[in-house]
């Protein structure tokens, strides 16, 4: 048919709706059955290869695995000299079961000023069900950026 290789817009208007529906359903099935799974497998294989062989793209590889363990965060601290200290803190294992901390006293209702939670002896009212060393946070990396002297 001349409408498959022509650039004239009016030729496409001559195609009936049933033909367009057949064409779109065939293309849709092609993408659902072949293109999407093949592209997903190629991309997943690339992530696995880059993690195992090249030791790179850790963020992309581990975020797509949706692992509930190996959580990390950064702590920023500015000391009295104006130097910025950055701590990378990580958890290798995250507890799944929690219990209420018996040492947690809660917030004092009679206090007139609000105390920040980080200054409390036990800031969280939840603790892991089992006490284990594998749940303790550890410093993975430390970086200090010195302030410019003026």
């Amino acid at each position: 048919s001349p409408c498959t290789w022509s650039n004239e817009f009016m030729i496409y208007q001559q195609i009936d709706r049933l033909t367009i529906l057949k064409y779109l359903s065939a293309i849709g099935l092609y993408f659902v059955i072949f293109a999407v799974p093949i592209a997903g497998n190629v991309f997943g294989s690339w992530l696995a290869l880059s993690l195992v062989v090249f030791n790179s793209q850790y963020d992309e590889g581990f975020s797509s695995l949706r692992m509930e363990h190996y959580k990390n965060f950064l702590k920023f601290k500015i000391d009295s000299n104006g130097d910025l200290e950055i701590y990378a803190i990580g958890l290798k294992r995250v507890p799944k079961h929690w219990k209420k901390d018996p040492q947690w006293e809660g917030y004092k209702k009679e206090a007139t000023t609000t105390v920040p939670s980080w200054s409390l002896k036990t800031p969280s009212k939840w603790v892991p069900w089992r006490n284990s060393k594998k749940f303790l946070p550890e410093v993975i990396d430390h970086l200090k950026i010195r302030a410019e002297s003026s």
Side-chain angles (χ1 to χ4, degrees), residues 2-147:
C3 65
T4 57
W5 46 268
S6 175
N7 289 334
E8 292 183 32
F9 178 72
M10 290 307 292
I11 294 178
Y12 291 109
Q13 298 296 322
Q14 297 172 358
I15 302 174
D16 61 313
R17 290 183 183 174
L18 184 62
T19 306
I20 292 174
L21 188 63
K22 287 179 189 177
Y23 173 75
L24 290 177
S25 60
I27 292 297
L29 281 175
Y30 165 75
F31 276 104
V32 168
I33 293 174
F34 294 112
V36 172
I38 289 173
N41 282 325
V42 167
F43 186 68
S45 300
W46 166 250
L47 283 178
L49 186 72
S50 65
L51 276 172
V52 175
V53 176
F54 301 123
N55 290 329
S56 64
Q57 296 188 3
Y58 287 103
D59 291 340
E60 293 85 359
F62 279 105
S63 66
S64 64
L65 292 176
R66 294 185 182 176
M67 297 177 74
E68 53 191 36
H69 301 293
Y70 299 99
K71 302 296 180 193
N72 301 308
F73 65 94
L74 296 176
K75 177 184 177 185
F76 295 94
K77 178 185 172 188
I78 300 176
D79 62 8
S80 59
N81 298 332
D83 299 340
L84 174 65
E85 292 186 79
I86 304 171
Y87 297 91
I89 300 173
L91 296 169
K92 289 187 178 178
R93 300 280 296 176
V94 177
K96 293 182 182 179
H97 304 289
W98 299 86
K99 66 178 179 179
K100 193 168 183 178
D101 188 0
Q103 297 177 352
W104 189 71
E105 299 172 357
Y107 297 108
K108 306 285 186 202
K109 293 183 179 177
E110 59 272 356
T112 57
T113 59
T114 307
V115 178
S117 63
W118 53 264
S119 67
L120 297 173
K121 184 177 179 183
T122 55
S124 175
K125 73 177 188 177
W126 299 103
V127 293
W129 186 261
R130 289 183 286 144
N131 290 332
S132 177
K133 289 183 181 180
K134 63 184 176 183
F135 298 141
L136 293 177
E138 60 185 52
V139 176
I140 298 172
D141 199 5
H142 174 255
L143 173 69
K144 188 170 190 176
I145 301 174
R146 303 209 183 272

